Amino acid sequence: MSVGIWRFFDGAPVGELRETAAEVEELGFTSIWFGEYAGREAFTQAALLLAATSRLTVATGVARFDQRSPLAAEGAIRALGEAYPGRFVAGLGGHRPGARPLTALREYLDGMDAAELPGLPQPSPRPRRVLAALGPKLLDLAAERADGAHPYFVPPEHTAMARERLGPGKYLAVEQAVVLDPAPEAAREHVGLYVSQARHHQQNLRRLGFTDADLADGGSDRLVDAIVATGEQAAANRIQAHLDAGADHVCLQVLARTPDSYRRLATLLP
């Protein structure tokens, strides 16, 4: 069982970031993933997390390709891979205004692969590259041009589809939202944010059989329950459901965190 922690660090002081990474490592989680939204530059933040730990895998979930050139991304990934062998995963995704996501990401990968960095050779092992892929075409791109995929905001039914699309040899790391104590407002706020603002998540949920009624008014109870696991036992069951569906790794995003949230989740680890 490979289980990690996923979170946003936007606004968190560097000291809190370091303390969180050290706690996650001490508790026995295998990785820490973080999103890039409005906080620190993703690869700089990855370096801070890696420096604060000795074994933990650190993954961008995801670094937004619209925020830096392909050359800059490739250079940062190589540098982190050289400094911390086997401990960095480069998750890439995002949206370029006015461009089709599939075309934009393919062109970005072309730029990364063509980057000329004679003073910075590819480290060994090369860091994993995974894509924020939800739909079939982006999953196909992840199978073709990356080491796997990092789906976010998905139920186990999507994990099964993603595994089938990626094939058996690709890495599949799935984000799963949890609340440890009943917090319906936190769960509904989380779901409502994405179903009201993120068209690609709306499309993905419709592909999985959710209806316009499920997406309305912040999300139906059925949708909220499918996206957010409530309580330790539900979290354990959902982790196993993703693994049974073909995930290699599940990273848990705790909504309504408390100081003991990660310690309580650590009891689920083998």
Side-chain angles (χ1 to χ4, degrees), residues 144-161:
E144 174 192 352
R145 301 291 302 277
D147 297 299
H150 173 49
Y152 179 95
F153 197 75
V154 294
E157 291 79 6
H158 182 275
T159 301
M161 184 273 288

Side-chain angles (χ1 to χ4, degrees), residues 187-267:
R188 191 165 298 280
E189 180 181 357
H190 176 73
V191 172
L193 175 67
Y194 289 99
V195 299
S196 65
Q197 298 184 18
R199 184 168 175 267
H200 60 296
H201 284 300
Q202 297 169 7
Q203 293 173 331
N204 187 56
L205 292 170
R206 289 191 176 97
R207 277 192 297 266
L208 295 172
F210 292 97
T211 67
D212 288 344
D214 288 310
L215 303 182
D217 301 321
S220 66
D221 291 344
R222 179 173 85 105
L223 177 57
V224 173
D225 290 343
I227 296 297
V228 182
T230 300
E232 284 97 328
Q233 188 58 55
N237 293 345
R238 195 67 61 86
I239 292 168
Q240 193 60 55
H242 281 295
L243 295 173
D244 290 345
D248 297 295
H249 177 75
V250 181
C251 39
L252 304 174
Q253 179 177 188
V254 183
L255 312 178
R257 285 191 313 274
T258 60
D260 65 344
S261 290
Y262 296 152
R263 191 165 297 279
R264 290 171 64 183
L265 282 176
T267 63

Side-chain angles (χ1 to χ4, degrees), residues 47-235:
L48 293 170
L49 291 163
L50 286 160
T53 54
S54 59
R55 303 178 308 278
L56 197 68
T57 295
V58 172
T60 54
V62 291
R64 293 169 53 189
F65 72 84
D66 56 306
Q67 296 298 300
R68 60 191 60 80
S69 72
L71 183 69
E74 181 64 20
I77 291 167
R78 291 189 191 187
L80 291 171
E82 180 184 6
Y84 302 97
R87 293 183 54 210
F88 178 62
V89 175
L92 301 171
H95 303 275
R96 183 181 296 158
R100 294 173 61 86
L102 181 67
T103 300
L105 187 50
R106 185 184 294 277
E107 290 175 350
Y108 194 83
L109 296 174
D110 289 343
M112 290 179 65
D113 292 343
E116 295 185 7
L117 295 164
L120 194 60
Q122 190 66 255
S124 181
R126 178 180 59 81
R128 272 186 176 134
R129 182 167 79 183
V130 299
L131 305 184
L134 293 176
K137 292 182 179 180
L138 276 171
L139 286 164
D140 289 347
L141 182 66
E144 174 192 352
R145 301 291 302 277
D147 297 299
H150 173 49
Y152 179 95
F153 197 75
V154 294
E157 291 79 6
H158 182 275
T159 301
M161 184 273 288
R163 171 51 67 200
E164 181 177 1
R165 203 82 192 188
L166 288 171
K170 294 294 182 175
Y171 184 66
L172 181 56
V174 181
E175 179 269 349
Q176 173 62 56
V178 302
V179 288
L180 294 181
D181 297 303
E185 67 288 345
R188 191 165 298 280
E189 180 181 357
H190 176 73
V191 172
L193 175 67
Y194 289 99
V195 299
S196 65
Q197 298 184 18
R199 184 168 175 267
H200 60 296
H201 284 300
Q202 297 169 7
Q203 293 173 331
N204 187 56
L205 292 170
R206 289 191 176 97
R207 277 192 297 266
L208 295 172
F210 292 97
T211 67
D212 288 344
D214 288 310
L215 303 182
D217 301 321
S220 66
D221 291 344
R222 179 173 85 105
L223 177 57
V224 173
D225 290 343
I227 296 297
V228 182
T230 300
E232 284 97 328
Q233 188 58 55

